[in-house]
Amino acid sequence: MYRNEHDRGAPTRRHFLAYCAQWLGALATLPLANPSRAQAQRTPQPLIVASHPIVADWVRNLVGTHAAVQAIAQPQQDLHSITLHPAHLPLLRQAVTIVTMGLGTDTAFVRDCARLVPDTPRLALGDLLAPQRRLLRPTGIAPDHDHDYDHDHADSHDHTQDRDPDNTLEHGQHDDHATQYDPHFWLDPERVAEALAQALPNLITRIPSAQQSITAHAHPYLEALRALAADGRTRLADLPATHRKAFVLHDAYRYLNAAFGVELIGIDTVVPHGEVTAQRLLELKARAAREGIRILFTEAHRTSRVAQTFAQRLGLAVAGPLYAETFAPSPGPATYLDLMRHNLATIAAALRTQ
């Protein structure tokens, strides 16, 4: 029986407090639903910013799911022309580290990062290679030798003139090759593996809680890079000496040449400063005849029409394309391993059948 009408209609304050205490006691006995998941939801994933998708692909294969990796450049964007925009600033400010190609490849990007986020650690992969594993930058061409091939210079040349001032390969306005070393180390998977192995401890310091997991995840990828290099050497080992040379427009293949025993010769080493003259074309044609060069490879990030025009003028067959500095639109190579498998298979097939 209730003591009064007030008790009949609602609990007293004393009853309400006792009721709450009973429920709190019951909740205290329940296990936490999933503390690790709850913690993950509260703690944002570390962010690593990469200058280019090729660099981002390497880093993702090292750190796995322990960090988000965001590239600044687009997949088909030239490695040498990476620029920052205001929209990139929030990404840079969130990053635990910024990873670049190094060896002067993305100098402008590095300089901008140093100005905008001076306190964010930066890691230049090519700079981690031992000096004896770097190749000196070619001396026969200008430091800014990454030319703009939008115009069909070879085809438009007036052979009645010794030099047509309008008939030049335009230089890019960047200082991508400012260092003394050739930066294109990424065309040798073994050197890539060496640089990434050196970078791994640095990346782990940015995500120390995942050290063991990252190490276990990274090692199979490093082995895959070394296996790719070994497979490429095997694929090209039985080529005769007379089938190991070809022309390319861009002198970017010295590391690939050294790694796999071939010689892809950049036309811009024979045409210094981009000056395409009748004399230069004669020199190219004479070298092709003297050294048994029968092929000119096109490159995916350059105008194939220009390569075809050069090939026609020089009496060469056209092969390719090679992917030297970018990924490809689908269904082309979208990872570094696929890119290098494509390049090595394309080179082997073309040289073998010339």
Side-chain angles (χ1 to χ4, degrees), residues 7 10-20:
D7 284 345
T12 64
R13 177 181 178 83
R14 179 168 50 82
H15 291 156
F16 177 77
L17 292 175
Y19 178 80
C20 291

Side-chain angles (χ1 to χ4, degrees), residues 152-169 274-279:
D152 194 346
H153 307 285
D155 191 47
S156 63
H157 181 68
D158 181 357
H159 290 271
T160 63
Q161 301 181 24
D162 180 62
R163 180 178 182 273
D164 181 349
D166 295 327
N167 186 28
T168 58
L169 303 178
E275 299 172 0
V276 181
T277 65
Q279 180 61 36

